[in-house]
Amino acid sequence: MMKRLKLAVAAVVLSAGTALAAQDTLTLGMALEPPNLDPTAGAAAAIDEVTYANIFEGLTRFAPDGSIVPSLAEKWEVSDDGKVYTFTLNHNVKFHDGTDFNAADVVFSLDRARGPDSTNAQKQLFTNIDKVEAPEPFLVRVTLRSSDGNFPFNLAWGDAVMVAEESAATNATHPVGTGPFKFVEWAKGDHVTIERNVEYWGTPAKLTSATFKFISDPTAAFAAVMAGDVDAFPNFPAPETLAQFESDPRFKVLVGTTEGEVILGLNNRKAPLDDIRVRKAIAHAINRQELIDGAMFGYGVPIGTHFAPHNPDYVDLTALSAYDPERSKALLKEAGVEGLRLRLALPPPAYARRSGEIIAAELRAVGIETEIANLEWAQWLEQVFKGKDFDMTIVAHVEPMDINIYARPDYYFGYAKPEFVTLMDTLAATTGREARSDLLKKAQKMISEDFVNGFLFQLPKAGVANAKIRGLWENSPTPANDLTAVFWEE
């Protein structure tokens, strides 16, 4: 009897040990739910946070350190004039529905992204393409209208992933890519589940499945992580609680950088915001450190232009729009707009809602009243981003190296100064490192000196995870929760 009892206990211990060693699923928290799951047909960063590198892949991709590395393209060559890129594709790649991936899919994907009916949020990335050809099944030739040394970088964006003609129309609700994970289900309002693609062409994922759990409320997010209902929350919406996690050995806190410039977006198209004196007055009314301390609990870096401080070409222009409420009042008086009242449209993220309350108080102190409207993402995208129906808004632009959005005439804040457009055209045609750096610095100064928007702070990547999880990105060179190298330590 005693022998059988010992064997039973040993079996239980062995079973528990095996279960622990075999832990290969993950529940990951996200503050925002994506509006759809097609990165080629939506501007919301949450789409890429679920799908980038997990479900969908591009010809190139961002590595965790921000470098550009091969993905579906094994290698590429560029002509001496910088106008023709020839990509050699990996063989034996299949989409999740079993169809083969080849050069024809690349032609379809790039032509679709740049076509007249394209709904791609970053269509600008593809406008320089003159033609895309498939001379061989695994060879693609892309001819550009002008040389662009940044083209492999553009192709690493989530908006440039490869899709199949057979499944492109339904990717918004049932995404079919070539990545190491396959879509399983989307329970709207709650979660998206993916599972390991056992027929993946590359290095297989270590996780058998993963669930992206949507928890927008900071208090609920804290409770979910503490209870173990969520294993990791890479962009944690309650930074005020991170110190508590740091002191708990069950968890680790990951603090890194993102490409997210948080701005007070101003509608340059409409009066009185079409007057630089009014925009300048708003900028001088804002105390960036008060925002970082009050809304982000000390996490974040002040910015004075639309550029990431960790970029080697960054210019610190914060002094140009330094906090100076008396200067704000004088500028408003000079512009003849005393007693001004403006609408402030806020999307759901905590950084926006919290910053909005602080900025409203700061603007009130210089004589500007604000009418705050809290919008859901779908509302914000429709009303602000697409409809341009707003005065002010607060949002993080998380796309990498995206200063060229200021050259777009139809972009929501409506700048597109001809001199800036020319500057961006010159940048696109420039390949020399020093020359590009000089142009990028000029671009930063131009939008800063024109006070296009209120430049607030660089969004930090502050997250928390179970201490046994390995392989999560510490920094975010692009919006992504890349799970391709994530595993549990035994």
PDB file of all heavy atoms in Angstrom, residues 190-222:
ATOM      1  N   ASP A 190     -13.568  41.236 -26.439  1.00  0.00           N
ATOM      2  CA  ASP A 190     -12.886  40.438 -25.423  1.00  0.00           C
ATOM      3  C   ASP A 190     -11.479  39.991 -25.834  1.00  0.00           C
ATOM      4  O   ASP A 190     -10.506  40.332 -25.167  1.00  0.00           O
ATOM      5  CB  ASP A 190     -13.724  39.218 -25.065  1.00  0.00           C
ATOM      6  CG  ASP A 190     -13.185  38.498 -23.848  1.00  0.00           C
ATOM      7  OD1 ASP A 190     -13.363  39.029 -22.740  1.00  0.00           O
ATOM      8  OD2 ASP A 190     -12.575  37.418 -24.007  1.00  0.00           O
ATOM      9  N   HIS A 191     -11.348  39.230 -26.939  1.00  0.00           N
ATOM     10  CA  HIS A 191     -10.022  38.689 -27.247  1.00  0.00           C
ATOM     11  C   HIS A 191      -9.902  38.232 -28.693  1.00  0.00           C
ATOM     12  O   HIS A 191     -10.901  38.030 -29.388  1.00  0.00           O
ATOM     13  CB  HIS A 191      -9.690  37.517 -26.318  1.00  0.00           C
ATOM     14  CG  HIS A 191     -10.522  36.289 -26.586  1.00  0.00           C
ATOM     15  ND1 HIS A 191     -11.726  36.055 -25.962  1.00  0.00           N
ATOM     16  CD2 HIS A 191     -10.339  35.227 -27.434  1.00  0.00           C
ATOM     17  CE1 HIS A 191     -12.241  34.909 -26.391  1.00  0.00           C
ATOM     18  NE2 HIS A 191     -11.417  34.396 -27.300  1.00  0.00           N
ATOM     19  N   VAL A 192      -8.651  38.066 -29.130  1.00  0.00           N
ATOM     20  CA  VAL A 192      -8.295  37.399 -30.377  1.00  0.00           C
ATOM     21  C   VAL A 192      -7.357  36.254 -30.020  1.00  0.00           C
ATOM     22  O   VAL A 192      -6.417  36.441 -29.225  1.00  0.00           O
ATOM     23  CB  VAL A 192      -7.605  38.341 -31.384  1.00  0.00           C
ATOM     24  CG1 VAL A 192      -6.971  37.553 -32.528  1.00  0.00           C
ATOM     25  CG2 VAL A 192      -8.602  39.355 -31.949  1.00  0.00           C
ATOM     26  N   THR A 193      -7.584  35.089 -30.600  1.00  0.00           N
ATOM     27  CA  THR A 193      -6.722  33.932 -30.346  1.00  0.00           C
ATOM     28  C   THR A 193      -6.032  33.498 -31.631  1.00  0.00           C
ATOM     29  O   THR A 193      -6.653  33.457 -32.694  1.00  0.00           O
ATOM     30  CB  THR A 193      -7.535  32.755 -29.772  1.00  0.00           C
ATOM     31  OG1 THR A 193      -8.121  33.148 -28.529  1.00  0.00           O
ATOM     32  CG2 THR A 193      -6.648  31.541 -29.536  1.00  0.00           C
ATOM     33  N   ILE A 194      -4.745  33.179 -31.517  1.00  0.00           N
ATOM     34  CA  ILE A 194      -3.972  32.645 -32.633  1.00  0.00           C
ATOM     35  C   ILE A 194      -3.310  31.349 -32.186  1.00  0.00           C
ATOM     36  O   ILE A 194      -3.140  31.112 -30.983  1.00  0.00           O
ATOM     37  CB  ILE A 194      -2.912  33.651 -33.131  1.00  0.00           C
ATOM     38  CG1 ILE A 194      -1.932  34.018 -31.993  1.00  0.00           C
ATOM     39  CG2 ILE A 194      -3.568  34.910 -33.689  1.00  0.00           C
ATOM     40  CD1 ILE A 194      -0.796  34.963 -32.424  1.00  0.00           C
ATOM     41  N   GLU A 195      -2.941  30.502 -33.151  1.00  0.00           N
ATOM     42  CA  GLU A 195      -2.278  29.241 -32.817  1.00  0.00           C
ATOM     43  C   GLU A 195      -1.070  29.038 -33.722  1.00  0.00           C
ATOM     44  O   GLU A 195      -1.002  29.613 -34.810  1.00  0.00           O
ATOM     45  CB  GLU A 195      -3.235  28.064 -32.959  1.00  0.00           C
ATOM     46  CG  GLU A 195      -3.687  27.793 -34.381  1.00  0.00           C
ATOM     47  CD  GLU A 195      -4.674  26.643 -34.477  1.00  0.00           C
ATOM     48  OE1 GLU A 195      -5.097  26.128 -33.416  1.00  0.00           O
ATOM     49  OE2 GLU A 195      -5.034  26.267 -35.611  1.00  0.00           O
ATOM     50  N   ARG A 196      -0.145  28.220 -33.270  1.00  0.00           N
ATOM     51  CA  ARG A 196       1.072  27.972 -34.032  1.00  0.00           C
ATOM     52  C   ARG A 196       0.752  27.349 -35.389  1.00  0.00           C
ATOM     53  O   ARG A 196      -0.044  26.429 -35.506  1.00  0.00           O
ATOM     54  CB  ARG A 196       2.004  27.051 -33.247  1.00  0.00           C
ATOM     55  CG  ARG A 196       3.341  26.793 -33.947  1.00  0.00           C
ATOM     56  CD  ARG A 196       4.353  26.201 -32.979  1.00  0.00           C
ATOM     57  NE  ARG A 196       3.898  24.937 -32.427  1.00  0.00           N
ATOM     58  CZ  ARG A 196       4.372  24.415 -31.290  1.00  0.00           C
ATOM     59  NH1 ARG A 196       5.286  25.074 -30.600  1.00  0.00           N
ATOM     60  NH2 ARG A 196       3.937  23.254 -30.854  1.00  0.00           N
ATOM     61  N   ASN A 197       1.390  27.887 -36.417  1.00  0.00           N
ATOM     62  CA  ASN A 197       1.275  27.368 -37.778  1.00  0.00           C
ATOM     63  C   ASN A 197       2.275  26.229 -37.935  1.00  0.00           C
ATOM     64  O   ASN A 197       3.480  26.462 -38.066  1.00  0.00           O
ATOM     65  CB  ASN A 197       1.546  28.497 -38.778  1.00  0.00           C
ATOM     66  CG  ASN A 197       1.550  28.043 -40.222  1.00  0.00           C
ATOM     67  OD1 ASN A 197       1.100  26.944 -40.532  1.00  0.00           O
ATOM     68  ND2 ASN A 197       2.070  28.889 -41.108  1.00  0.00           N
ATOM     69  N   VAL A 198       1.799  25.010 -37.909  1.00  0.00           N
ATOM     70  CA  VAL A 198       2.695  23.845 -37.930  1.00  0.00           C
ATOM     71  C   VAL A 198       3.365  23.672 -39.295  1.00  0.00           C
ATOM     72  O   VAL A 198       4.348  22.928 -39.417  1.00  0.00           O
ATOM     73  CB  VAL A 198       1.941  22.550 -37.561  1.00  0.00           C
ATOM     74  CG1 VAL A 198       1.459  22.623 -36.114  1.00  0.00           C
ATOM     75  CG2 VAL A 198       0.773  22.304 -38.508  1.00  0.00           C
ATOM     76  N   GLU A 199       2.867  24.349 -40.314  1.00  0.00           N
ATOM     77  CA  GLU A 199       3.462  24.261 -41.646  1.00  0.00           C
ATOM     78  C   GLU A 199       4.256  25.521 -41.990  1.00  0.00           C
ATOM     79  O   GLU A 199       4.513  25.787 -43.166  1.00  0.00           O
ATOM     80  CB  GLU A 199       2.369  24.028 -42.694  1.00  0.00           C
ATOM     81  CG  GLU A 199       1.617  22.714 -42.500  1.00  0.00           C
ATOM     82  CD  GLU A 199       0.533  22.511 -43.542  1.00  0.00           C
ATOM     83  OE1 GLU A 199       0.220  23.475 -44.274  1.00  0.00           O
ATOM     84  OE2 GLU A 199       0.005  21.386 -43.632  1.00  0.00           O
ATOM     85  N   TYR A 200       4.667  26.257 -40.974  1.00  0.00           N
ATOM     86  CA  TYR A 200       5.383  27.509 -41.217  1.00  0.00           C
ATOM     87  C   TYR A 200       6.706  27.257 -41.935  1.00  0.00           C
ATOM     88  O   TYR A 200       7.427  26.318 -41.614  1.00  0.00           O
ATOM     89  CB  TYR A 200       5.633  28.232 -39.889  1.00  0.00           C
ATOM     90  CG  TYR A 200       6.326  29.559 -40.037  1.00  0.00           C
ATOM     91  CD1 TYR A 200       5.789  30.558 -40.843  1.00  0.00           C
ATOM     92  CD2 TYR A 200       7.527  29.812 -39.364  1.00  0.00           C
ATOM     93  CE1 TYR A 200       6.415  31.790 -40.978  1.00  0.00           C
ATOM     94  CE2 TYR A 200       8.160  31.041 -39.485  1.00  0.00           C
ATOM     95  CZ  TYR A 200       7.607  32.019 -40.303  1.00  0.00           C
ATOM     96  OH  TYR A 200       8.242  33.240 -40.435  1.00  0.00           O
ATOM     97  N   TRP A 201       7.030  28.122 -42.884  1.00  0.00           N
ATOM     98  CA  TRP A 201       8.207  27.943 -43.727  1.00  0.00           C
ATOM     99  C   TRP A 201       9.518  28.241 -42.999  1.00  0.00           C
ATOM    100  O   TRP A 201      10.578  27.761 -43.394  1.00  0.00           O
ATOM    101  CB  TRP A 201       8.098  28.859 -44.954  1.00  0.00           C
ATOM    102  CG  TRP A 201       8.070  30.334 -44.595  1.00  0.00           C
ATOM    103  CD1 TRP A 201       6.984  31.086 -44.276  1.00  0.00           C
ATOM    104  CD2 TRP A 201       9.196  31.201 -44.502  1.00  0.00           C
ATOM    105  NE1 TRP A 201       7.352  32.384 -43.987  1.00  0.00           N
ATOM    106  CE2 TRP A 201       8.711  32.485 -44.125  1.00  0.00           C
ATOM    107  CE3 TRP A 201      10.576  31.052 -44.700  1.00  0.00           C
ATOM    108  CZ2 TRP A 201       9.538  33.587 -43.940  1.00  0.00           C
ATOM    109  CZ3 TRP A 201      11.402  32.151 -44.515  1.00  0.00           C
ATOM    110  CH2 TRP A 201      10.886  33.407 -44.148  1.00  0.00           C
ATOM    111  N   GLY A 202       9.470  29.040 -41.949  1.00  0.00           N
ATOM    112  CA  GLY A 202      10.688  29.465 -41.247  1.00  0.00           C
ATOM    113  C   GLY A 202      10.851  28.774 -39.907  1.00  0.00           C
ATOM    114  O   GLY A 202      10.364  27.671 -39.682  1.00  0.00           O
ATOM    115  N   THR A 203      11.542  29.444 -38.997  1.00  0.00           N
ATOM    116  CA  THR A 203      11.725  28.913 -37.647  1.00  0.00           C
ATOM    117  C   THR A 203      10.387  28.877 -36.928  1.00  0.00           C
ATOM    118  O   THR A 203       9.726  29.917 -36.794  1.00  0.00           O
ATOM    119  CB  THR A 203      12.707  29.788 -36.843  1.00  0.00           C
ATOM    120  OG1 THR A 203      13.947  29.870 -37.546  1.00  0.00           O
ATOM    121  CG2 THR A 203      12.936  29.213 -35.459  1.00  0.00           C
ATOM    122  N   PRO A 204       9.939  27.727 -36.466  1.00  0.00           N
ATOM    123  CA  PRO A 204       8.615  27.640 -35.843  1.00  0.00           C
ATOM    124  C   PRO A 204       8.556  28.393 -34.514  1.00  0.00           C
ATOM    125  O   PRO A 204       9.562  28.529 -33.805  1.00  0.00           O
ATOM    126  CB  PRO A 204       8.414  26.142 -35.654  1.00  0.00           C
ATOM    127  CG  PRO A 204       9.792  25.566 -35.612  1.00  0.00           C
ATOM    128  CD  PRO A 204      10.620  26.424 -36.515  1.00  0.00           C
ATOM    129  N   ALA A 205       7.369  28.872 -34.183  1.00  0.00           N
ATOM    130  CA  ALA A 205       7.159  29.533 -32.900  1.00  0.00           C
ATOM    131  C   ALA A 205       7.243  28.517 -31.777  1.00  0.00           C
ATOM    132  O   ALA A 205       6.922  27.341 -31.962  1.00  0.00           O
ATOM    133  CB  ALA A 205       5.799  30.219 -32.902  1.00  0.00           C
ATOM    134  N   LYS A 206       7.669  28.960 -30.606  1.00  0.00           N
ATOM    135  CA  LYS A 206       7.748  28.074 -29.448  1.00  0.00           C
ATOM    136  C   LYS A 206       6.397  27.954 -28.751  1.00  0.00           C
ATOM    137  O   LYS A 206       6.094  26.938 -28.130  1.00  0.00           O
ATOM    138  CB  LYS A 206       8.815  28.577 -28.480  1.00  0.00           C
ATOM    139  CG  LYS A 206      10.243  28.488 -29.027  1.00  0.00           C
ATOM    140  CD  LYS A 206      11.249  28.976 -27.991  1.00  0.00           C
ATOM    141  CE  LYS A 206      12.684  28.728 -28.457  1.00  0.00           C
ATOM    142  NZ  LYS A 206      13.029  29.498 -29.665  1.00  0.00           N
ATOM    143  N   LEU A 207       5.580  28.992 -28.823  1.00  0.00           N
ATOM    144  CA  LEU A 207       4.255  28.952 -28.223  1.00  0.00           C
ATOM    145  C   LEU A 207       3.305  28.165 -29.122  1.00  0.00           C
ATOM    146  O   LEU A 207       3.355  28.288 -30.345  1.00  0.00           O
ATOM    147  CB  LEU A 207       3.707  30.363 -28.042  1.00  0.00           C
ATOM    148  CG  LEU A 207       4.471  31.299 -27.109  1.00  0.00           C
ATOM    149  CD1 LEU A 207       3.871  32.704 -27.178  1.00  0.00           C
ATOM    150  CD2 LEU A 207       4.443  30.784 -25.665  1.00  0.00           C
ATOM    151  N   THR A 208       2.433  27.376 -28.515  1.00  0.00           N
ATOM    152  CA  THR A 208       1.432  26.664 -29.314  1.00  0.00           C
ATOM    153  C   THR A 208       0.227  27.550 -29.614  1.00  0.00           C
ATOM    154  O   THR A 208      -0.446  27.366 -30.633  1.00  0.00           O
ATOM    155  CB  THR A 208       0.943  25.401 -28.594  1.00  0.00           C
ATOM    156  OG1 THR A 208       0.392  25.776 -27.320  1.00  0.00           O
ATOM    157  CG2 THR A 208       2.079  24.416 -28.389  1.00  0.00           C
ATOM    158  N   SER A 209      -0.028  28.519 -28.741  1.00  0.00           N
ATOM    159  CA  SER A 209      -1.132  29.444 -28.977  1.00  0.00           C
ATOM    160  C   SER A 209      -0.935  30.694 -28.128  1.00  0.00           C
ATOM    161  O   SER A 209      -0.167  30.699 -27.163  1.00  0.00           O
ATOM    162  CB  SER A 209      -2.485  28.798 -28.650  1.00  0.00           C
ATOM    163  OG  SER A 209      -2.601  28.543 -27.269  1.00  0.00           O
ATOM    164  N   ALA A 210      -1.651  31.731 -28.499  1.00  0.00           N
ATOM    165  CA  ALA A 210      -1.607  32.981 -27.747  1.00  0.00           C
ATOM    166  C   ALA A 210      -2.958  33.666 -27.856  1.00  0.00           C
ATOM    167  O   ALA A 210      -3.633  33.580 -28.888  1.00  0.00           O
ATOM    168  CB  ALA A 210      -0.500  33.897 -28.263  1.00  0.00           C
ATOM    169  N   THR A 211      -3.344  34.351 -26.787  1.00  0.00           N
ATOM    170  CA  THR A 211      -4.597  35.094 -26.754  1.00  0.00           C
ATOM    171  C   THR A 211      -4.300  36.548 -26.417  1.00  0.00           C
ATOM    172  O   THR A 211      -3.606  36.828 -25.432  1.00  0.00           O
ATOM    173  CB  THR A 211      -5.564  34.505 -25.716  1.00  0.00           C
ATOM    174  OG1 THR A 211      -5.902  33.170 -26.102  1.00  0.00           O
ATOM    175  CG2 THR A 211      -6.830  35.336 -25.618  1.00  0.00           C
ATOM    176  N   PHE A 212      -4.808  37.449 -27.240  1.00  0.00           N
ATOM    177  CA  PHE A 212      -4.697  38.882 -26.984  1.00  0.00           C
ATOM    178  C   PHE A 212      -5.981  39.313 -26.284  1.00  0.00           C
ATOM    179  O   PHE A 212      -7.063  39.299 -26.879  1.00  0.00           O
ATOM    180  CB  PHE A 212      -4.513  39.658 -28.287  1.00  0.00           C
ATOM    181  CG  PHE A 212      -3.265  39.290 -29.041  1.00  0.00           C
ATOM    182  CD1 PHE A 212      -3.273  38.263 -29.968  1.00  0.00           C
ATOM    183  CD2 PHE A 212      -2.067  39.960 -28.807  1.00  0.00           C
ATOM    184  CE1 PHE A 212      -2.125  37.916 -30.670  1.00  0.00           C
ATOM    185  CE2 PHE A 212      -0.910  39.619 -29.489  1.00  0.00           C
ATOM    186  CZ  PHE A 212      -0.936  38.594 -30.426  1.00  0.00           C
ATOM    187  N   LYS A 213      -5.847  39.680 -25.018  1.00  0.00           N
ATOM    188  CA  LYS A 213      -7.000  40.028 -24.187  1.00  0.00           C
ATOM    189  C   LYS A 213      -7.118  41.551 -24.118  1.00  0.00           C
ATOM    190  O   LYS A 213      -6.148  42.237 -23.771  1.00  0.00           O
ATOM    191  CB  LYS A 213      -6.810  39.449 -22.777  1.00  0.00           C
ATOM    192  CG  LYS A 213      -7.963  39.674 -21.829  1.00  0.00           C
ATOM    193  CD  LYS A 213      -9.102  38.731 -22.088  1.00  0.00           C
ATOM    194  CE  LYS A 213     -10.163  38.847 -20.996  1.00  0.00           C
ATOM    195  NZ  LYS A 213     -11.350  38.024 -21.301  1.00  0.00           N
ATOM    196  N   PHE A 214      -8.302  42.082 -24.433  1.00  0.00           N
ATOM    197  CA  PHE A 214      -8.492  43.526 -24.490  1.00  0.00           C
ATOM    198  C   PHE A 214      -9.055  44.040 -23.168  1.00  0.00           C
ATOM    199  O   PHE A 214     -10.180  43.707 -22.782  1.00  0.00           O
ATOM    200  CB  PHE A 214      -9.419  43.884 -25.649  1.00  0.00           C
ATOM    201  CG  PHE A 214      -8.991  43.259 -26.949  1.00  0.00           C
ATOM    202  CD1 PHE A 214      -9.865  42.462 -27.681  1.00  0.00           C
ATOM    203  CD2 PHE A 214      -7.690  43.439 -27.429  1.00  0.00           C
ATOM    204  CE1 PHE A 214      -9.470  41.871 -28.865  1.00  0.00           C
ATOM    205  CE2 PHE A 214      -7.282  42.839 -28.613  1.00  0.00           C
ATOM    206  CZ  PHE A 214      -8.170  42.057 -29.330  1.00  0.00           C
ATOM    207  N   ILE A 215      -8.247  44.858 -22.489  1.00  0.00           N
ATOM    208  CA  ILE A 215      -8.634  45.414 -21.189  1.00  0.00           C
ATOM    209  C   ILE A 215      -8.267  46.896 -21.197  1.00  0.00           C
ATOM    210  O   ILE A 215      -7.099  47.265 -21.044  1.00  0.00           O
ATOM    211  CB  ILE A 215      -7.910  44.699 -20.023  1.00  0.00           C
ATOM    212  CG1 ILE A 215      -8.091  43.183 -20.132  1.00  0.00           C
ATOM    213  CG2 ILE A 215      -8.408  45.206 -18.686  1.00  0.00           C
ATOM    214  CD1 ILE A 215      -7.291  42.394 -19.101  1.00  0.00           C
ATOM    215  N   SER A 216      -9.243  47.748 -21.376  1.00  0.00           N
ATOM    216  CA  SER A 216      -8.971  49.180 -21.499  1.00  0.00           C
ATOM    217  C   SER A 216      -8.866  49.881 -20.156  1.00  0.00           C
ATOM    218  O   SER A 216      -8.149  50.888 -20.029  1.00  0.00           O
ATOM    219  CB  SER A 216     -10.072  49.850 -22.335  1.00  0.00           C
ATOM    220  OG  SER A 216     -11.337  49.662 -21.734  1.00  0.00           O
ATOM    221  N   ASP A 217      -9.556  49.383 -19.147  1.00  0.00           N
ATOM    222  CA  ASP A 217      -9.574  50.039 -17.844  1.00  0.00           C
ATOM    223  C   ASP A 217      -8.277  49.760 -17.082  1.00  0.00           C
ATOM    224  O   ASP A 217      -7.930  48.592 -16.861  1.00  0.00           O
ATOM    225  CB  ASP A 217     -10.762  49.539 -17.022  1.00  0.00           C
ATOM    226  CG  ASP A 217     -10.817  50.191 -15.658  1.00  0.00           C
ATOM    227  OD1 ASP A 217     -11.096  51.393 -15.589  1.00  0.00           O
ATOM    228  OD2 ASP A 217     -10.542  49.486 -14.661  1.00  0.00           O
ATOM    229  N   PRO A 218      -7.539  50.794 -16.673  1.00  0.00           N
ATOM    230  CA  PRO A 218      -6.258  50.581 -15.973  1.00  0.00           C
ATOM    231  C   PRO A 218      -6.389  49.748 -14.701  1.00  0.00           C
ATOM    232  O   PRO A 218      -5.535  48.904 -14.416  1.00  0.00           O
ATOM    233  CB  PRO A 218      -5.780  52.003 -15.667  1.00  0.00           C
ATOM    234  CG  PRO A 218      -6.418  52.854 -16.715  1.00  0.00           C
ATOM    235  CD  PRO A 218      -7.772  52.229 -16.943  1.00  0.00           C
ATOM    236  N   THR A 219      -7.459  49.966 -13.953  1.00  0.00           N
ATOM    237  CA  THR A 219      -7.653  49.203 -12.710  1.00  0.00           C
ATOM    238  C   THR A 219      -7.874  47.727 -13.002  1.00  0.00           C
ATOM    239  O   THR A 219      -7.318  46.846 -12.335  1.00  0.00           O
ATOM    240  CB  THR A 219      -8.851  49.762 -11.925  1.00  0.00           C
ATOM    241  OG1 THR A 219      -8.619  51.156 -11.638  1.00  0.00           O
ATOM    242  CG2 THR A 219      -9.036  49.012 -10.612  1.00  0.00           C
ATOM    243  N   ALA A 220      -8.670  47.449 -14.027  1.00  0.00           N
ATOM    244  CA  ALA A 220      -8.913  46.056 -14.413  1.00  0.00           C
ATOM    245  C   ALA A 220      -7.646  45.413 -14.955  1.00  0.00           C
ATOM    246  O   ALA A 220      -7.399  44.218 -14.731  1.00  0.00           O
ATOM    247  CB  ALA A 220     -10.036  45.997 -15.458  1.00  0.00           C
ATOM    248  N   ALA A 221      -6.836  46.192 -15.685  1.00  0.00           N
ATOM    249  CA  ALA A 221      -5.568  45.666 -16.211  1.00  0.00           C
ATOM    250  C   ALA A 221      -4.641  45.269 -15.065  1.00  0.00           C
ATOM    251  O   ALA A 221      -4.017  44.198 -15.091  1.00  0.00           O
ATOM    252  CB  ALA A 221      -4.906  46.705 -17.104  1.00  0.00           C
ATOM    253  N   PHE A 222      -4.551  46.111 -14.059  1.00  0.00           N
ATOM    254  CA  PHE A 222      -3.718  45.814 -12.894  1.00  0.00           C
ATOM    255  C   PHE A 222      -4.190  44.534 -12.210  1.00  0.00           C
ATOM    256  O   PHE A 222      -3.394  43.639 -11.898  1.00  0.00           O
ATOM    257  CB  PHE A 222      -3.767  46.988 -11.915  1.00  0.00           C
ATOM    258  CG  PHE A 222      -3.089  46.715 -10.601  1.00  0.00           C
ATOM    259  CD1 PHE A 222      -1.706  46.761 -10.499  1.00  0.00           C
ATOM    260  CD2 PHE A 222      -3.827  46.402  -9.473  1.00  0.00           C
ATOM    261  CE1 PHE A 222      -1.071  46.505  -9.282  1.00  0.00           C
ATOM    262  CE2 PHE A 222      -3.210  46.143  -8.254  1.00  0.00           C
ATOM    263  CZ  PHE A 222      -1.823  46.195  -8.165  1.00  0.00           C
TER     264      PHE A 222
END
